Amino acid sequence: MKKSVFVLAFVLVVSSLYTVVAQSKKLPPVGMIDLGFTLQFEKGDQRAINNAWDYVHTIASLQGIVNRNTPQLYIFLIKNGSADIDRYWWNKYRAPGKWLSKRDTVLYQNVVDVISAYRNKIKGAVIYDPNVAATSNVASSIAGVEDLIVVRYDTDPESLYSKIITSGPKIPVRISLVNKDGSSIFTGKGTIPGTTRASSGSAKDDAYLWFLEKYMKTGRVNTKYGAYYIDQQWLKQPFLVNHNHHTLSNHDFFISRRGFFFDLSPWADEPATDDPGQAVGTDVNTLKEILLTAYNQNKGKDYAYLGGFPPWAFKYTQHANGKHEDVATEWEYSRIISAYNAFKDADAIGYGALANASFWQHYPLKKEYKQNWTTPAELQKKGYLTADGKIDYKGRNFLIFYVGDYDASSWVSQTTPTLWDSPDRGKVPMMWCISPVLAERVPMALDYRRETASANDYFAAADNGAGYLMPGMLQVPRPISGLPDGLDAWVAHNKPYYQQWGLTITGFIIDGQAPPLNQKGLDAYAAFSPNGIVPQKVPLTLLHGDMPVMRSDADVNQDDPKVAARMVYDRIRDRKVPFHWFRNILKSPSWYVQVVAELKKLDPNIELLTAPDFFELYRIYLKQNPDAAKGKIK
C-alpha cells in the first residue's frame, strides 16, 4: 500500500514537472496590427504622409527588438495589386498543422497600444532629426544595438512623437540625434560632435561618420549585416513609386541582427544628388570607410549581407538630375560592395517592400532540400543521346530560360501568390533562379516553393550565387579596395547554402563593370556550382574542368508572347551553337507556356529542356567538341 502511494506521488510530481516545463516552453501570443491605413495618403496631406513614415518606422524598430529571439509581433502592410502579401503568408502557415496553427494572437487597434504592450521589451527611444535626413538611418542602426525604438522628432500635437514621448506611455529618450530645442546636432561644420574627427563638410555624411566612430569602430555593431534603404527624403517625394517604398518595414530584420544602415551615393564623379553642396565623392568615401570597417571586423572571412538597393527613382541617377543611368548605378554600387566582401539581397524598387522578416526568420527549415540530376541513361531514354553516347540532335536547338529575377527577398515574397501560384506552372520546364541566401529573410517562401514544385520546376541560384555581387572584384589585384583575394571566403560562404538547397547551377553571373572571372575565379565556382554557370564575360562556350560554362545571351522581356518568341527564334538562327540561354524578369508561367507554343509554330525543332537535361547535354556537347570546350567558337 505504501509502495503504491509512493509510486502515485512520484507520478504526480513528474506530471507536474512536465506541465511546468511544457508551459514554460509555450510561446507568447502573437501581437498583430494592420498598418494598411498608412498606405492611404493623398497629395497635400503632409500630416498623413508623416504619420505613414513615423508609424511604420517605429513599429519596424519595435519588431526588430521583440522578434529577435522569438516571433512575437506581426504586421499587415504589403500589397501587390490585389494580393495582400502579409495575410497570404500568415494564412498559409496559420492553417491546421502548420507552423503558426497553435499560436494565440492579440489584435491591436493602434500603434500607441502596440508600443505600450511591448514597453518592457525595449529600453527607451532614439530620437532623430527631421532636418538631417541621414539620421533616420543612423537611428535604425542604434535601435538594434541599444534596444531602442526609433521616433522622428516632431512637436506637432498629432505626431507620433507627441503621442508616445511627451504624452501617452512617455517612452524615455535614451539617445537623441537632435538638440533639445529641435536644432540640428550635425551641421557639416567644425568637428563632428562627440568625436575628434573633422567634419566632412556634409551634415548627411557627418551623421554616418559619427555612428562609424561611436558604434562601428568600437565593435558594437554586427557588421555581418547592413542595409541600404532610403532616408527621410522619401517624405518629400512619396508619390514617385509605390506608397510602401519608404521600405521602412524592411528595417526590422536588420535591427534584429544589430546591423548598420546607410543611404549613400556610389558615384565618385559628382556630389550626391540629395546633398549637392557636398564635395565631389564625399558620399562614396563614407561608404567605402563603412565597408572597410565591416570587412576588418569580419576579418575578411565573413561576407556582409546587405539588404536593399540604390533608391534610383529618388536619388543618384538621371531621375534626380544626376549623370548616371539606373543600371549603371546598380552596377557601380555592386562593384564597390564586392571589393569589400559584401553582397546584396536586392530589394529593388517595384517589389522592394518587405515586412515581418524578423518574424519569419524563425521559420523552421529542413536541413536539406535535395534535387535530382539526370544521367546519360536517362538522356538516352528521352531520345537525346544515341546508344553510343553521342547527342542525337535530330535538327534540334536546345533552349533554357533563366526564370528571374529572384535575387531579392522582397521580390520572392511578393511574387509567390501572383506568379508561383499560377495554375499554368508545371506545364513547361522552368529553371527558377532564386538566391539561396534569401532563406535568411523569407525562409517560408523558399520552403513553400520547394514543397509545391512540380516535376517541371527546377531550382538554380540567381545572380551571382548566395548573394548578388560581382565576383571579378574578389580576385587579386582587387580594384577599389586593394584587399587580399576574397574567392576562398566566397566559396566557404556559398557551399552551405548550395548544399542545403540542392543547388549545382548558378543561372546567371553579372560581371557588370568588374573584371571577368580568371582561372581561380572559375575554380571557385566549380567548387560549389559544378553543373554550370552563365557569366557575361567569358567565351561563348567553355568547359572548365568538368563545369560547363556558357556566356549569357539576350534578355527577353516583351510582354507579348508572340514578340518574345520571334526574338528568341531570330537569335537562335544567328547563333553557331545548338544550346541557347535567355533571361526573363518576373514573367508568369502562363507567359512561358504561350512563348513555347509560339516558338513551336515558328520552328518545332526548338525544344525547351529542364535544367538538368540542358546542362548535362551541354556538358556532353563540350566534351565531344574540343573547340567549343576551349572557348574557340566565336
Side-chain angles (χ1 to χ4, degrees):
M1 182 67 178
K2 289 182 180 180
K3 184 177 182 181
S4 298
V5 171
F6 175 81
V7 170
L8 178 58
F10 178 78
V11 170
L12 289 172
V13 169
V14 171
S15 177
S16 298
L17 288 172
Y18 177 82
T19 301
V20 169
V21 171
Q23 289 176 343
S24 68
K25 291 183 177 180
K26 185 178 180 181
L27 294 172
V30 176
M32 312 181 82
I33 183 170
D34 188 340
L35 294 179
F37 70 93
T38 65
L39 305 175
Q40 308 302 315
F41 52 81
E42 298 179 355
K43 290 184 178 180
D45 190 350
Q46 193 60 45
R47 177 177 282 172
I49 293 168
N50 290 348
N51 285 342
W53 173 276
D54 292 342
Y55 292 167
V56 178
H57 196 188
T58 299
I59 292 299
S61 65
L62 181 64
Q63 279 191 295
I65 297 165
V66 303
N67 288 339
R68 179 174 287 138
N69 299 315
T70 305
Q72 297 184 68
L73 181 56
Y74 196 88
I75 69 173
F76 299 106
L77 177 68
I78 309 302
K79 293 179 174 61
N80 178 0
S82 62
D84 190 324
I85 303 302
D86 300 311
R87 281 187 171 79
Y88 170 88
W89 289 114
W90 175 265
N91 292 338
K92 190 169 293 297
Y93 291 100
R94 184 66 165 170
K98 295 295 185 179
W99 183 49
L100 300 170
S101 61
K102 296 183 179 180
R103 291 293 296 273
D104 293 333
T105 60
V106 177
L107 181 63
Y108 294 98
Q109 298 301 315
N110 61 70
V111 169
V112 176
D113 287 348
V114 176
I115 294 166
S116 299
Y118 290 96
R119 181 171 182 164
N120 66 337
K121 303 290 185 181
I122 61 175
K123 296 177 181 177
V126 52
I127 306 304
Y128 59 93
D129 184 353
N131 296 313
V132 179
T135 59
S136 61
N137 272 332
V138 173
S140 283
S141 302
I142 293 170
V145 177
E146 304 279 10
D147 289 347
L148 305 174
I149 58 171
V150 300
V151 184
R152 186 179 62 90
Y153 179 82
D154 183 355
T155 57
D156 183 326
E158 295 302 313
S159 71
L160 184 61
Y161 176 88
S162 296
K163 291 178 180 179
I164 66 171
I165 302 297
T166 60
S167 63
K170 291 189 177 181
I171 303 298
V173 175
R174 301 301 184 193
I175 296 175
S176 182
L177 302 176
V178 61
N179 288 318
K180 289 184 179 180
D181 64 358
S183 61
S184 296
I185 291 175
F186 303 105
T187 62
K189 298 177 182 178
T191 301
I192 297 174
T195 76
T196 59
R197 181 167 182 162
S199 169
S200 67
S202 162
K204 171 187 179 180
D205 285 80
D206 282 0
Y208 288 117
L209 293 172
W210 175 87
F211 178 79
L212 180 70
E213 296 293 333
K214 290 288 189 178
Y215 283 88
M216 291 192 73
K217 289 185 178 180
T218 56
R220 302 181 67 190
V221 179
N222 180 1
T223 49
K224 295 179 185 178
Y225 292 92
Y228 187 5
Y229 294 114
I230 190 169
D231 61 24
Q232 293 171 88
Q233 181 165 322
W234 178 89
L235 287 165
K236 299 177 181 179
Q237 300 171 293
F239 298 95
L240 281 181
V241 289
N242 307 352
H243 284 190
N244 60 22
H245 265 65
H246 44 59
T247 53
L248 292 167
S249 58
N250 302 50
H251 287 217
D252 68 319
F253 173 84
F254 298 97
I255 290 172
S256 79
R257 298 296 176 97
R258 297 186 171 91
F260 57 96
F261 290 75
F262 58 93
D263 172 4
L264 294 159
S265 171
W267 291 112
D269 61 352
E270 63 177 346
T273 61
D274 63 336
D275 190 21
Q278 69 174 224
V280 172
T282 301
D283 259 28
V284 74
N285 289 336
T286 300
L287 175 61
K288 290 176 182 178
E289 190 173 355
I290 288 171
L291 293 171
L292 180 60
T293 301
Y295 175 91
N296 288 333
Q297 293 198 9
N298 296 336
K299 300 179 179 178
K301 295 181 180 180
D302 294 311
Y303 272 73
Y305 179 133
L306 305 180
F309 202 80
W312 55 262
F314 299 89
K315 302 181 180 186
Y316 315 138
T317 68
Q318 293 173 352
H319 294 278
N321 298 316
K323 297 180 182 179
H324 302 281
E325 295 180 348
D326 307 344
V327 173
T329 303
E330 169 192 344
W331 284 5
E332 183 65 6
Y333 171 64
S334 300
R335 194 172 75 96
I336 292 169
I337 65 173
S338 304
Y340 295 93
N341 286 23
F343 62 84
K344 60 186 168 186
D345 177 344
D347 295 333
I349 286 173
Y351 301 93
L354 177 72
N356 300 304
S358 64
F359 186 96
W360 291 110
Q361 68 179 321
H362 300 288
Y363 179 85
L365 290 171
K366 298 176 184 177
K367 290 185 177 180
E368 197 167 3
Y369 294 81
K370 294 183 178 180
Q371 294 192 105
N372 294 324
W373 195 250
T374 193
T375 65
E378 290 171 331
L379 291 173
Q380 184 177 339
K381 187 177 180 180
K382 293 176 182 179
Y384 297 124
L385 294 181
T386 61
D388 60 353
K390 300 292 179 64
I391 296 178
D392 192 3
Y393 293 105
K394 295 188 177 74
R396 291 178 290 188
N397 276 284
F398 301 116
L399 172 66
I400 193 78
F401 285 123
Y402 172 89
V403 180
D405 271 358
Y406 298 107
D407 55 9
S409 293
S410 58
W411 285 38
V412 167
S413 177
Q414 287 203 41
T415 60
T416 301
T418 60
L419 298 180
W420 176 264
D421 284 349
S422 166
D424 283 330
R425 181 174 54 79
K427 293 182 178 179
V428 297
M430 294 179 68
M431 181 177 71
W432 296 88
C433 295
I434 302 174
S435 172
V437 81
L438 309 187
E440 295 273 342
R441 289 200 289 161
V442 289
M444 74 297 183
L446 270 62
D447 179 271
Y448 171 68
R449 291 193 180 211
R450 291 306 179 93
E451 179 187 0
T452 56
S454 73
N456 267 332
D457 297 313
Y458 195 86
F459 297 93
D463 52 289
N464 288 316
Y468 175 3
L469 52 62
M470 292 180 174
M473 297 297 293
L474 310 180
Q475 304 166 165
V476 290
R478 296 179 78 173
I480 298 177
S481 68
L483 291 169
D485 185 275
L487 287 169
D488 291 341
W490 184 237
V491 172
H493 165 75
N494 276 271
K495 274 188 172 181
Y497 286 107
Y498 274 63
Q499 181 175 350
Q500 180 178 17
W501 294 98
L503 302 174
T504 58
I505 301 167
T506 304
F508 184 31
I509 292 176
I510 298 177
D511 294 312
Q513 299 303 318
L517 288 168
N518 58 24
Q519 289 300 301
K520 187 175 180 182
L522 292 169
D523 288 345
Y525 273 89
F528 59 84
S529 186
N531 285 327
I533 62 173
V534 186
Q536 294 176 310
K537 295 181 178 180
V538 290
L540 180 63
T541 60
L542 183 69
L543 186 65
H544 184 78
D546 198 47
M547 178 180 68
V549 181
M550 173 177 287
R551 188 171 68 214
S552 62
D553 204 79
D555 288 358
V556 180
N557 292 309
Q558 294 84 353
D559 290 334
D560 187 335
K562 289 185 178 180
V563 177
R566 170 60 67 173
M567 181 177 177
V568 171
Y569 170 75
D570 289 342
R571 183 68 186 137
I572 286 175
R573 287 196 306 171
D574 291 340
R575 285 167 56 89
K576 298 179 180 179
V577 296
F579 292 87
H580 311 275
W581 174 103
F582 298 97
R583 173 177 174 243
N584 323 109
I585 302 173
L586 298 185
K587 295 301 181 186
S588 72
S590 302
W591 182 88
Y592 287 95
V593 170
Q594 294 174 58
V595 169
V596 170
E598 294 297 330
L599 277 171
K600 287 298 181 184
K601 295 177 186 177
L602 295 169
D603 184 351
N605 289 323
I606 296 175
E607 188 167 343
L608 177 65
L609 301 183
T610 66
D613 288 354
F614 180 89
F615 280 95
E616 189 60 35
L617 275 177
Y618 178 54
R619 181 176 6 233
I620 293 169
Y621 162 79
L622 293 170
K623 290 181 177 180
Q624 293 176 358
N625 293 271
D627 284 348
K630 295 177 182 178
K632 294 182 178 181
I633 295 180
K634 303 298 183 181

